[in-house]
Every structure is written in structure tokens, then in C-alpha cells.
Amino acid sequence: MILKALKHIVTLLLVLLACATLYSAWSVRMPPSELGAQCLCWFAFPYMWLALLASAIITFAFRSWFQFLCCVAACAASWGSAGRVIDIPHGGDGELPEGGSFKLLTYNIHYMNYASEMTAGHVRDSICGFFLSSDADVICLQEAPPLSAMVWWPQAGQPIKRLLETYPHIVSSGKDGGGQAILSKKPLRKAELDGMGKGYERSIIAADIYAGDDTVRIVNCHLASLALSGEQIDAVSSDRTMDENRLTTLRKAYDKMSIAFAAREKEAEKIAESLPLTHNETIVCGDFNDTPISYTYRTITCGRKPLTDARNPRRVGLARTYRGNLPPLRIDYILASGGLTTAEYAEHDMPMSDHKALSASFATRR
């Protein structure tokens, strides 16, 4: 009798887990302003999916066929979503035509002051050295300091000067290249995103670059941040016991997250509305501050001008581009429209920022 009751309880728990996993994958269609606290299930999705997969293996071993089929069906139904947050290698790099191809690199450099174990000058020198050795034609920066002014800063002048000599063409959201910036070896033309409206100039910038006989629009984004303090990040990621102080900190963290979710909802909708208004092939890259299981990602990639994720993982594991003290999060992206061929995607894990740098090579299909 007890064993039978336990079996029913396990079955109920697995059904609830399957429903929660499917709901998490489906709920990205709903804006955060309507979902409220349910948005948090987007962060939990990879762990729920992996728990379902483990449950499928266990129930198969015990020949619990109903539970096994329930887990397998939910895993299969949400496979497309799982593939965006769980790294599974899926083929080679592909090849690009020789003419008109270019390499793009995107990196949130945290104002060049993230690595506390390094001196400020060492961080700046290391970042500039990485850029100069990357062989990238275009570099998209988020949270960039005013690069032109930094030429005159002590210990940073020469590396910054070499960087600006190599990438003389700059489009930025702030004076002297501060905020978000696009650096290029090739001539750039600053682009206004039609329909974007006022208020987004600091977080979303665009430029057109010539790739062979074609023009490619590059949109560089730094969408609304969670802006969690160190104490709030520790409360979210810590496994310590729940007490009143931690609960208060978690409530404050959730309030910040709710504000950020709502802000990114508007930013993502504006980006999606603006993309079809240009006939050029388009690359959207940067720090979205949202996972692939989110309204932000789906809105930008599945709009009237669909975009394809350039990501091509090399190993199995949870996808992660954020290096800070939080569970694995993939929040940085390079996305491209259908007329572009993508190859040589790479993620660069370095200690100079709380983000990884991403790079990929592109060419037009024409």
C-alpha cells in the first residue's frame, strides 16, 4: 500500500515537472508585463529539462512506462528550447566565400574595470591586446569607456592609441565612444533605426558596413540590466539557509528584475519592429541580459525579419556567456538574418570582464 502511494506521488511530481517545463518553453510568447513573477521560470527551464531527462532514464531502468513516456514526451516537445540553453555540438564551422566576408566580435567590457586582481592599466592593456590579436574586422562593445579620451590616460595611452589606429571608424552611443560602440577597420555609416523612437539611443546603436558589393546593418545592443548588487547576487546564488534578511534581499532583487523584464520587453519590441524597415542583411549582437528562453530572445529572433543564432558550441554542457557569480546564463548573442552565411563562431573566456567575448565570421549569400 505504501509503495503504491509513493508511486502515485512520484507520478504526480513527474507530471507536474513535465507541465512546468512545457509551460516555461511556451510562456516566452507572453510579454513579461502579463506574466509577472512567472518570468522566473525561464531561468529554471534548463534545470527542469535536465531533471526530466534524468527522470526518463531512471523510470526506463525501473520499467515505469507511463512515467517514462511522460518524461520523454515533454523532453521531445521542448527540445527546440533545450537546444538553445544546453550546449550540444551540431556540426562543423562551414565555409565562407573569399570575397566580401568579415569577422565580427562582440564583448561587454564592463568599462575595463572588472578584474579586481589586475591593475586598471593591466585590464585595459589586456583587452586592447585581445582586440588587436583577434583579427576581427568589426568590434561591438557594450559598457565601453570613452575610448578617444583614454588615449591620454596614464598607462593606457599607447594600447588604446594602437587600437584606434587599427579601428579608426567608430559609431557610438556617447561622446568619445563611451557607452555602446562599434569599431571597424572598414568605413562605417551610422544608421538610424526606423521606428525606434527616442529614449533608446544609449542602449541600441546601429551602423552600416560594406561587405563586398553588399551593405550589412549591424545593431549593437546592451538591453536593460538586472542591476543586482553583490549582496543580491549572493542571495540568489547562495545555498545558505533562508532567513528574514535573505528573504528581504530576494524581494529587492525580484523588484529590480521585474523592472528590467519590463524594460527589455519594450526594447525587444522596438528592435523587432525596426529590423524589417531596412532591405539590408542584418546582424544583431550584444548583451541582451536575458536567456534564450525569454520573451526578449523570441521577439527579436522570430519577428517579421527572422534572425538565426550564430552559436555553434564545441562541447556538451549548460550554455553560459555570463561569467559572474550566478548560475550559468547565456545572455550574449550574435544573430544574423537569412541572407548571411555564418562560420567560425567562438566564445572567448577571459578574466577581464564578467562576460565572455563572442566572435563569428559572415558573408552574404549572393
Side-chain angles (χ1 to χ4, degrees):
M1 179 67 92
I2 295 176
L3 288 177
K4 190 173 182 179
L6 285 174
K7 185 176 181 179
H8 287 315
I9 292 172
V10 170
T11 300
L12 177 61
L13 291 175
L14 288 177
V15 170
L16 290 175
L17 178 61
C19 291
T21 304
L22 292 174
Y23 177 76
S24 298
W26 172 86
S27 64
V28 298
R29 295 165 172 78
M30 298 179 65
S33 56
E34 296 180 15
L35 276 180
Q38 297 173 68
C39 293
L40 298 178
C41 70
W42 298 340
F43 294 108
F45 173 83
Y47 305 100
M48 292 191 293
W49 194 90
L50 289 173
L52 271 180
L53 182 62
S55 299
I57 296 171
I58 293 170
T59 52
F60 177 79
F62 283 95
R63 300 181 184 276
S64 301
W65 300 119
F66 175 78
Q67 295 94 325
F68 169 73
L69 291 174
C70 179
C71 295
V72 168
C75 284
S78 55
W79 169 253
S81 299
R84 295 196 292 271
V85 292
I86 300 172
D87 280 337
I88 302 172
H90 53 264
D93 284 331
E95 296 182 358
L96 296 176
E98 293 185 7
S101 62
F102 64 95
K103 182 177 180 179
L104 179 143
L105 185 146
T106 179
Y107 195 14
N108 182 327
I109 59 175
H110 204 282
Y111 297 103
M112 293 188 176
N113 64 3
Y114 171 74
S116 58
E117 68 275 12
M118 302 180 187
T119 65
H122 187 194
V123 172
R124 291 190 290 267
D125 288 357
S126 299
I127 289 176
C128 291
F130 166 64
F131 289 155
L132 292 168
S133 65
S134 69
D135 197 33
D137 298 291
V138 181
I139 299 175
C140 293
L141 301 180
Q142 302 87 47
E143 296 190 346
L147 299 177
S148 298
M150 286 179 67
V151 171
W152 311 108
W153 288 18
Q155 302 178 349
Q158 289 306 313
I160 292 290
K161 186 175 181 179
R162 289 199 300 271
L163 180 67
L164 297 180
E165 287 172 350
T166 307
Y167 297 91
H169 308 285
I170 300 178
V171 168
S172 68
S173 62
K175 187 178 180 181
D176 295 321
Q180 290 25 279
I182 303 174
L183 285 63
S184 176
K185 295 178 179 178
K186 304 177 180 181
L188 286 177
R189 183 180 67 220
K190 187 172 184 178
E192 298 296 333
L193 293 172
D194 295 331
M196 183 66 68
K198 298 293 183 181
Y200 299 96
E201 300 89 348
R202 292 289 300 174
S203 58
I204 305 165
I205 62 173
D208 292 333
I209 186 172
Y210 295 105
D213 296 329
D214 299 292
T215 301
V216 177
R217 174 155 296 180
I218 298 172
V219 181
N220 181 21
C221 307
H222 182 224
L223 305 188
S225 173
L226 297 178
L228 299 180
S229 67
E231 181 185 11
Q232 290 164 345
I233 290 176
D234 181 60
V236 171
S237 59
S238 174
D239 58 357
R240 58 189 171 88
T241 57
M242 193 70 67
D243 54 27
E244 186 175 346
N245 288 335
R246 188 182 180 192
L247 277 173
T248 301
T249 304
L250 287 173
R251 290 191 193 100
K252 292 179 179 177
Y254 172 71
D255 290 340
K256 284 187 176 181
M257 293 171 73
S258 298
I259 293 170
F261 274 125
R264 289 195 297 271
E265 173 186 335
K266 295 178 181 178
E267 290 171 328
E269 289 172 351
K270 287 293 184 180
I271 293 172
E273 290 168 4
S274 70
L275 295 182
L277 301 180
T278 176
H279 297 295
N280 297 333
E281 298 301 332
T282 304
I283 297 171
V284 179
C285 65
D287 176 7
F288 289 10
N289 276 303
D290 244 330
T291 73
I293 310 302
S294 66
Y295 180 82
T296 297
Y297 182 90
R298 185 179 189 278
T299 299
I300 293 174
T301 56
C302 299
R304 287 168 47 209
K305 189 172 189 176
L307 301 176
T308 301
D309 204 320
R311 170 179 161 269
N312 187 7
R314 299 293 188 272
R315 58 179 64 90
V316 176
L318 287 176
R320 179 174 191 168
T321 64
Y322 180 70
R323 301 179 61 257
N325 186 26
L326 281 173
L329 294 173
R330 180 177 173 234
I331 59 177
D332 303 89
Y333 305 91
I334 301 177
L335 313 172
S337 58
L340 291 170
T341 302
T342 308
E344 300 173 355
Y345 175 84
E347 297 179 357
H348 311 271
D349 192 359
M350 297 168 296
M352 291 90 75
S353 173
D354 54 351
H355 291 254
K356 293 181 181 180
L358 313 181
S359 64
S361 297
F362 297 92
T364 56
R365 297 183 187 273
R366 286 180 270 179

